[in-house]
């Protein structure tokens, strides 16, 4: 159970996300992500599965942060309440930034820098064999100071060295751009360009992505992943 002064900011199928205005010495407070119990599951099974998801999300955040990616810093993990307390990122999502400038076709957005930071960050993540599982423009944030791209919400993340899993991650992001942000094809192409230059596996991943789309394998997995998320 999170603190009484916590403000609910998001309710998902798996978890509730709160903002705590005060937390230790953090001037911006913190974010508390609480996974709630599923009444349709046996209590023991539910506790086991929930604990695994909390641990996996925390591990993914820590692993990416340690490798130099910009991700929320984890402050504390309460396994009893299945809650992760983490850094409150001050800024806006990539989705918000693009929607704000959609009518002007993003002329006031530094898309070159944005694309480079997204592409390099995702290449770093995949080099660690961390699969995000829900890459959308809502899960990419821009810090208020410096516009650094922060990858958030690793709730569906898992570890895999499979090329296809990495291709699915990129496909889900591609669909997020094309379905939500009109005329961002050049922006996503730049994301892929920087991903290619920063990843030693990029050519294999792109090949799998192209083959998978032709055969519907990657496309179908991407749709299933979107429905889960």
């Amino acid at each position: 159970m999170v603190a009484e002064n916590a403000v609910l900011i998001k309710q998902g199928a798996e978890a509730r996300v709160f903002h705590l205005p005060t937390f230790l010495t953090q001037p911006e407070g913190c974010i508390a992500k609480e996974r709630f119990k599923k009444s349709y599951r046996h209590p023991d099974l539910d506790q086991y599965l929930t604990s695994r998801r909390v641990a996996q999300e925390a591990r993914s955040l820590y692993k990416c942060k340690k490798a130099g990616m910009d991700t929320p810093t984890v402050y504390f993990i309460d396994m009893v309440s299945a809650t992760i307390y983490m850094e409150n990122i001050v800024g806006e999502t990539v989705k918000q930034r693009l929607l704000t400038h959609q009518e002007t076709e993003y002329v006031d957005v530094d898309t070159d820098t944005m694309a480079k930071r997204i592409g390099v960050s995702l290449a770093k993540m995949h080099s660690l064999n961390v699969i995000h599982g829900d890459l959308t423009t809502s899960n990419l944030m821009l810090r208020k100071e410096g516009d650094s791209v922060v990858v958030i919400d690793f709730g569906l993340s898992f570890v895999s060295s499979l090329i296809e899993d990495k291709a699915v991650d990129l496909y889900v992001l591609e669909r997020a751009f094309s379905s939500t942000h009109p005329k961002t094809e050049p922006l996503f192409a730049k994301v892929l360009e920087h991903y290619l230059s920063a990843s030693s596996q990029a050519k294999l991943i792109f090949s799998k992505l192209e083959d998978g789309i032709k055969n519907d394998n990657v496309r179908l997995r991407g749709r299933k992943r979107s429905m889960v998320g």
Side-chain angles (χ1 to χ4, degrees), residues 15-46:
R16 288 182 286 262
V17 180
F18 299 88
H19 174 232
L20 278 65
T22 57
F23 183 80
L24 301 177
T25 60
Q26 302 303 318
E28 302 297 336
C30 81
I31 294 297
K33 183 175 181 179
E34 175 191 48
R35 285 185 174 270
F36 43 79
K37 296 179 180 179
K38 299 295 183 67
S39 58
Y40 59 83
R41 290 196 295 225
H42 187 281
D44 292 341
L45 176 62
D46 182 68

Side-chain angles (χ1 to χ4, degrees), residues 102-140:
Q102 183 172 301
E103 292 186 1
T104 60
E105 297 186 10
Y106 322 109
V107 294
D108 296 323
V109 179
D110 185 357
T111 54
D112 289 341
T113 300
M114 179 188 291
K116 181 177 181 179
R117 290 175 175 171
I118 293 174
V120 171
S121 185
L122 298 185
K124 170 69 73 174
M125 182 180 71
H126 284 169
S127 74
L128 301 170
N129 291 329
V130 173
I131 310 301
H132 186 278
D134 189 23
L135 279 179
T136 66
T137 52
S138 294
N139 288 333
L140 298 172

Side-chain angles (χ1 to χ4, degrees), residues 96 138 177:
Q96 291 170 325
S138 294
F177 269 101

